[in-house]
Amino acid sequence: MAVLIFILALIVIIYGIYVTVTGVFAFTKNRTVIHEFKPLTRFAVLIPARNEGEVIASLINSLKRENYPPELFDVYALINNCNDNTPEVAKECGANIMHMSPSVTCKGDVLKEAFARLSARGYDAFVIFDADNVVHPDFLMKMNNIYQSGYEVAQGRKDTKNMSDNWISASYSIFYNLQNFFFNKARTHIKASATINGTGFMVSDSLVRDGFNPLSITEDIELSIMCILKGHRVVYCDDAITYDEQPTEFKAAWHQRKRWSKGIMQCTGIYSGRLLSRFFKEKDFSSLDKIFFMISPFMQVFATLPVILLILTSAFNLADESFIHSTLLTTAVGFVFGYIVMVGVCIFTVGWYRQDLKGSLGGIFLFIVFMFTWIPINIVCIFKKKNFNWVPVRHCRNVDANALYYRSKT
């Protein structure tokens, strides 16, 4: 039993070392060169929307304040089975209204249909936002620079409109901070592929015209994988900022994260073989790195096994007493040390992105609870074969966009 516990713990430690080491590259020099250009790229801005009449006006109005020539981008509200006033609000604000087919029920299918219907209209690239977003005025200009520098796909930084609401919204914000800095930024610095994160991203018309047919319920992860398999890499831009509304209720957060985990697990089954083949054939680090990213839900569950076995070993005296005591002590010390480090890292990212430290303290100190609740979520996803039904998260937070922009500059 002692040997088994050691082996399982060693696997978890090795995975943790990989995550840590790759994250450290965020502090190194950025090897991805992005030049500055005049506004040249013609964008179609896509807003998938289902019953978002309360918030979509804030997004469209923020897009009107983009520091980018209005003749070079068009805004499309992609209306998907709405039964509120979303189309009317979007049209009144100046967006083009595009009604999706009644059979379309998920965001991946919405984007697939929109790409197909707009591909003949001469756009260079598409930019995708969620209807509850607010956008930094330099977003399109930053994406123009990336596209003109020769990159086909890019992810901007996902920030939060309502970080200070409670510990759940603060935990979401911190989660995105960590992904922004230690995953996406780190990979862009070493010229590996970042990952697309749901909203605030750009993809070229030529890339999606080559085929976009999502098979899972996480179209953003699939698009990231598709790029890698086609020899493209996702570039991350820390200065292209999207402000997103986060859930504040645990039930809504639970259902949302279930869909994320299930979708990642689906992608693991569908694409791991192709990614592994590309890694060996092309020596493409991004392919292997994406596999490590996709197995994270499984690793969260796997990490509980040595702890469970250690508890059982202690309860039933299945190993030498000195081994049990020393291992329990090491585990306890490691947990305390890890918690302290986690709190420090959370404080660092909140400070780095000039967010409200005082308002996010609940999320900082309870972030471990946010992460631990992912374990039962992943266990449910492993054993549930069918997809989870989409559960709407109501968005109602309209914020002063100028205050958000000011925060990003101070």
Side-chain angles (χ1 to χ4, degrees):
M1 185 64 75
V3 174
L4 178 59
I5 292 173
F6 174 78
I7 294 173
L8 294 177
L10 183 62
I11 294 173
V12 174
I13 291 170
I14 291 173
Y15 185 82
I17 291 173
Y18 175 84
V19 172
T20 302
V21 170
T22 52
V24 168
F25 286 105
F27 296 100
T28 63
K29 182 180 179 181
N30 188 358
R31 294 169 55 196
T32 299
V33 179
I34 305 295
H35 300 287
E36 293 191 1
F37 291 86
K38 295 179 180 179
L40 298 170
T41 311
R42 187 164 180 243
F43 293 113
V45 178
L46 309 183
I47 310 172
R50 182 191 296 184
N51 297 335
E52 299 284 9
E54 292 187 78
V55 292
I56 195 169
S58 295
L59 169 59
I60 297 172
N61 289 333
S62 72
L63 288 167
K64 291 179 181 178
R65 293 191 288 269
E66 283 291 302
N67 298 322
Y68 201 74
E71 65 272 15
L72 287 180
F73 72 97
D74 297 315
V75 179
Y76 293 87
L78 310 179
I79 307 302
N80 170 26
N81 293 297
C82 282
N83 53 28
D84 72 347
N85 64 340
T86 299
E88 292 77 15
V89 173
K91 185 176 182 180
E92 184 178 345
C93 291
N96 299 287
I97 306 302
M98 181 178 289
H99 290 275
M100 297 293 101
S101 303
S103 59
V104 169
T105 58
C106 65
K107 186 176 177 181
D109 289 341
V110 167
L111 293 179
K112 178 182 177 180
E113 181 174 325
F115 291 154
R117 290 167 63 177
L118 293 172
S119 63
R121 300 193 185 182
Y123 294 109
D124 298 307
F126 301 100
V127 177
I128 291 84
F129 298 110
D130 288 339
D132 60 293
N133 295 162
V134 173
V135 186
H136 191 280
D138 292 334
F139 190 98
L140 292 181
M141 194 66 217
K142 298 297 181 183
M143 290 299 167
N144 170 77
N145 293 339
I146 293 172
Y147 180 84
Q148 295 299 329
S149 294
Y151 301 102
E152 302 281 339
V153 59
Q155 173 67 52
R157 171 155 63 92
K158 194 171 182 178
D159 206 326
T160 304
K161 293 161 62 174
N162 60 324
M163 184 176 190
S164 301
D165 279 3
N166 62 16
W167 75 272
I168 296 175
S169 62
S171 294
Y172 264 97
S173 184
I174 291 168
F175 174 77
Y176 289 124
N177 287 350
L178 297 174
Q179 188 175 63
N180 289 333
F181 192 88
F182 291 105
F183 188 90
N184 281 337
K185 187 174 185 178
R187 271 121 187 105
T188 295
H189 279 200
I190 59 174
K191 301 179 75 171
S193 186
T195 194
I196 296 172
N197 192 14
T199 187
F201 66 92
M202 178 271 293
V203 59
S204 72
D205 172 68
S206 60
L207 198 154
V208 294
R209 190 184 299 178
D210 195 30
F212 176 67
N213 185 32
L215 303 175
S216 77
I217 55 177
T218 47
E219 76 292 329
D220 50 348
I221 302 299
E222 279 200 76
L223 184 54
S224 302
I225 296 169
M226 181 187 80
C227 293
I228 293 173
L229 292 175
K230 293 183 178 182
H232 301 283
R233 61 187 178 92
V234 181
V235 174
Y236 171 72
C237 181
D238 222 20
D239 297 322
I241 310 170
T242 302
Y243 302 92
D244 195 23
E245 182 177 347
Q246 304 306 334
T248 57
E249 297 179 358
F250 185 80
K251 183 178 180 180
W254 177 276
H255 286 301
Q256 185 182 65
R257 290 184 290 156
K258 274 199 309 184
R259 284 181 58 81
W260 291 353
S261 289
K262 186 63 179 179
I264 293 175
M265 291 179 184
Q266 290 174 337
C267 289
T268 304
I270 296 170
Y271 296 104
S272 290
R274 279 178 267 180
L275 288 169
L276 196 60
S277 175
R278 178 173 174 81
F279 169 71
F280 285 115
K281 290 180 179 179
E282 306 293 336
K283 303 298 185 291
D284 179 18
F285 168 74
S286 291
S287 299
L288 183 63
D289 183 61
K290 185 59 68 176
I291 294 176
F292 274 89
F293 170 81
M294 292 191 301
I295 65 172
S296 59
F298 300 100
M299 287 303 302
Q300 285 179 319
V301 176
F302 184 86
T304 65
L305 296 181
V307 177
I308 293 172
L309 289 178
L310 179 60
I311 294 173
L312 293 175
T313 300
S314 176
F316 296 101
N317 294 316
L318 300 178
D320 182 78
E321 188 174 339
S322 62
F323 167 79
I324 294 174
H325 289 166
S326 62
T327 307
L328 284 173
L329 179 61
T330 302
T331 302
V333 171
F335 179 83
V336 173
F337 177 75
Y339 178 75
I340 294 172
V341 171
M342 182 200 68
V343 169
V345 171
C346 291
I347 292 173
F348 164 77
T349 61
V350 170
W352 181 268
Y353 289 121
R354 301 179 179 90
Q355 295 168 329
D356 180 10
L357 180 59
K358 182 178 179 181
S360 61
L361 286 178
I364 289 172
F365 289 105
L366 293 177
F367 187 67
I368 191 170
V369 177
F370 181 80
M371 295 306 296
F372 275 171
T373 56
W374 231 309
I375 295 173
I377 287 173
N378 291 330
I379 292 173
V380 171
C381 292
I382 288 173
F383 291 101
K384 184 175 176 63
K385 302 301 180 184
K386 295 182 179 180
N387 288 341
F388 295 105
N389 293 327
W390 176 75
V391 178
V393 178
R394 184 191 173 199
H395 298 126
C396 58
R397 180 58 59 88
N398 288 293
V399 300
D400 182 359
N402 290 326
L404 295 173
Y405 306 155
Y406 176 76
R407 187 189 73 191
S408 68
K409 294 179 180 180
T410 57

